[in-house]
Amino acid sequence: PRPDTVGAYLRDWLQAQRPHVAPNTWVTCRNHVAYYLAPSEADCAAYTARTGQVRPSLAAVRLQDLTPDVASRHLALLLQRGRRDGGGLRPRTVRGVRITLNAALASAYAGGMLLRPVRVKRVAVPKRPPTIYSPEQTGSFLAVAAGDRLAALWVLLVTSGMRPSEVLGLPWAAVDLEAGVLSIYQKLIKVENRALLADGTKVDHTGAAVAQVIVLAPVAAVMLRAWRTAQVEERRLWPWRKDHNDLVFTKEDGAPIKPDWLNRRFKQLARQAGLPDGVRVYDLRHGWATAALRAGVHPKLVQEVMRHSSYSTTADTYTHVMPAHSAEAVRTVAALFERPSRLILPPTAGASEEA
C-alpha cells in the first residue's frame, strides 16, 4: 500500500506501540488490524473467493481522507459481513476494533499526521447480565471440585472475586496465610499459545503502580495451607519438573497452567456436577459479585473487592442486581419515617382513610 494510506500507517503504529503495551494487548491490536481494519490483498482475495463479497477494509484509504463517517460505515460493514465466512461480527468484537482504531488515530493526530482529530462513534452493544451459577449450583460445583487436585484453586476463584489470570499467576511470595491475605502484582496471560507472566498491578490516582490486597475467606486459607503441604511433597517426587517459578498453582511437573487448560477442566468438573453449559471459569468472578450484592453488601464495597477502576463499571455490569438493592434501600429509608409518624396504611384500596 501507498505510504499515506491507513494500512501503511496502522502497520507502523503497531510496531511503535509494541514496547509500551502488554503482550496480549499488542496481539489483540495486531489481530484487529490484520483481520478487520487493513487485511492484506491476499486475504481480501481469499475472502471474495469464499463468499462472493468484497471484504471490508480501510487499507487503501488515504489517512487524510479517513473521517468519522468513513470509519463508522466500515464498522457497520463489519457488523454485516466482517467474519471469514461472510457473516457479521458480534457487536462486542466490533467495539474492540473501534477502540483499537481510535487509539491509532489519536496517535496519528498527536504525531501531526492528521490535521484534525478523528474520533469514531461508539458501537452499540446489547447489555445482558453475566451468565452465572446460583449459590446452590456453585455449591454443587465445589462438592465435585473438592476431589480435584486443584481444589484450592477452585475455592479461591469462587470466594475471592479474583480473575483467572491473577490466580494462575499467583506466586507463593504474594500469599500471607498467617495474616489471611494475598497481594496481586502478577498475572499469567496467553500470548499466541504461550503462557507468559505479566505485570498485574493497577495504577492508582497518582499514576503509581500498586499491588492490590485481597482478604482470604477462611475456607480458602485452610485449603491453601493444605495445598502448600501437598505441593511440597508433589515437587519432591518430581525432581525433573520443568519450572522453578514459585507459582501457587501449576501442573504436576511444575509447568504453568495455561488459561485454555483451566477452562477445559472447569467445564469437565461442571458437567460432572450436572450443571448447565454456558458458564465460563471467568464467570465465577461475576458470581461472587452478584451473590454479594444480593446479600446486601454495599456496591461500593463490591467495587473495591472486584477492583473495578470506577463505581460506574460495577453498576453497569451488575445492573440486573441493583434494582433489588435499591428497593431494599427505599424500604429501609421509608421505615425511618413510618415509625415516628405512626403512618397507618389502609388494609385495602377501598378502605376509608384515618382522620
Side-chain angles (χ1 to χ4, degrees):
R2 291 165 43 184
D4 61 345
T5 60
V6 173
Y9 168 71
L10 286 176
R11 283 204 305 276
D12 292 341
W13 173 78
L14 277 173
Q15 295 308 314
Q17 292 301 305
R18 192 162 197 165
H20 306 294
V21 297
N24 57 331
T25 300
W26 187 86
V27 169
T28 297
C29 292
R30 184 201 63 185
N31 291 343
H32 286 165
V33 171
Y35 301 148
Y36 309 128
L37 292 173
S40 67
E41 293 181 2
D43 286 343
C44 289
Y47 174 92
T48 300
R50 282 193 307 271
T51 68
Q53 303 179 92
V54 176
R55 185 167 189 168
S57 175
L58 295 173
V61 177
R62 289 182 67 248
L63 186 60
Q64 294 297 330
D65 294 338
L66 184 61
T67 65
D69 285 343
V70 171
S72 292
R73 286 195 292 272
H74 176 73
L75 297 185
L77 288 176
L78 293 179
L79 289 169
Q80 294 173 14
R81 58 174 194 267
R83 293 205 317 258
R84 284 172 50 85
D85 62 0
L89 289 175
R90 295 182 305 166
R92 189 173 297 276
T93 302
V94 178
R95 182 178 67 177
V97 174
R98 168 193 171 264
I99 291 172
T100 296
L101 181 57
N102 267 338
L105 295 178
S107 295
Y109 176 68
M113 302 183 69
L114 286 174
L115 300 178
R116 61 185 63 84
V118 177
R119 184 76 178 170
V120 187
K121 296 178 182 178
R122 296 180 61 183
V123 177
V125 177
K127 288 186 177 181
R128 56 180 182 272
T131 304
I132 61 172
Y133 291 139
S134 68
E136 293 75 17
Q137 289 174 317
T138 303
S140 298
F141 170 79
L142 287 178
V144 171
D148 189 61
R149 170 179 170 268
L150 296 173
L153 178 149
W154 304 116
V155 170
L156 185 59
L157 280 170
V158 167
T159 61
S160 69
M162 292 175 67
R163 300 172 177 86
S165 61
E166 295 167 343
V167 172
L168 293 180
L170 181 68
W172 278 115
V175 181
D176 186 342
L177 292 177
E178 297 301 322
V181 299
L182 60 82
S183 299
I184 297 176
Y185 56 78
Q186 180 175 272
K187 60 184 178 181
L188 188 142
I189 57 177
K190 177 188 172 184
V191 179
E192 297 181 322
N193 206 35
R194 292 181 297 134
L196 297 178
L197 294 174
D199 179 42
T201 58
K202 295 289 185 179
V203 177
D204 66 9
H205 67 283
T206 67
V210 294
Q212 298 162 301
V213 177
I214 294 289
V215 177
L216 292 170
V219 64
V222 170
M223 294 291 289
L224 283 171
R225 195 181 300 275
W227 166 242
R228 184 167 62 177
T229 301
Q231 189 184 56
V232 169
E233 179 64 14
E234 185 178 82
R235 291 188 173 187
R236 186 183 67 81
L237 297 174
W238 288 78
W240 53 87
R241 63 185 183 275
K242 294 180 179 179
D243 209 338
H244 297 267
N245 46 41
D246 192 42
L247 292 177
V248 174
F249 302 109
T250 65
K251 293 184 177 179
E252 290 92 337
D253 60 1
I257 296 173
K258 291 182 179 180
D260 289 346
W261 183 93
L262 187 71
N263 284 317
R264 289 194 300 272
R265 185 57 182 156
F266 171 73
K267 290 179 180 179
Q268 291 170 355
L269 294 173
R271 292 193 189 102
Q272 290 177 30
L275 298 175
D277 293 333
V279 175
R280 309 162 302 164
V281 65
Y282 193 97
D283 293 325
L284 295 177
R285 170 175 162 84
H286 293 313
W288 185 95
T290 300
L293 289 168
R294 285 178 174 162
V297 177
H298 195 281
K300 187 65 178 175
L301 293 177
V302 173
Q303 178 205 340
E304 292 178 6
V305 174
M306 298 293 284
R307 290 158 289 118
H308 289 149
S309 57
S310 67
Y311 177 80
S312 62
T313 300
T314 307
D316 290 345
T317 304
Y318 304 106
T319 303
H320 62 295
V321 189
M322 292 300 190
H325 200 278
S326 299
E328 180 61 30
V330 169
R331 288 193 292 268
T332 300
V333 174
L336 298 177
F337 298 108
E338 289 173 7
R339 179 168 296 179
S341 65
R342 296 184 180 178
L343 178 64
I344 301 176
L345 297 178
T348 63
S352 60
E353 293 184 355
E354 296 233 340

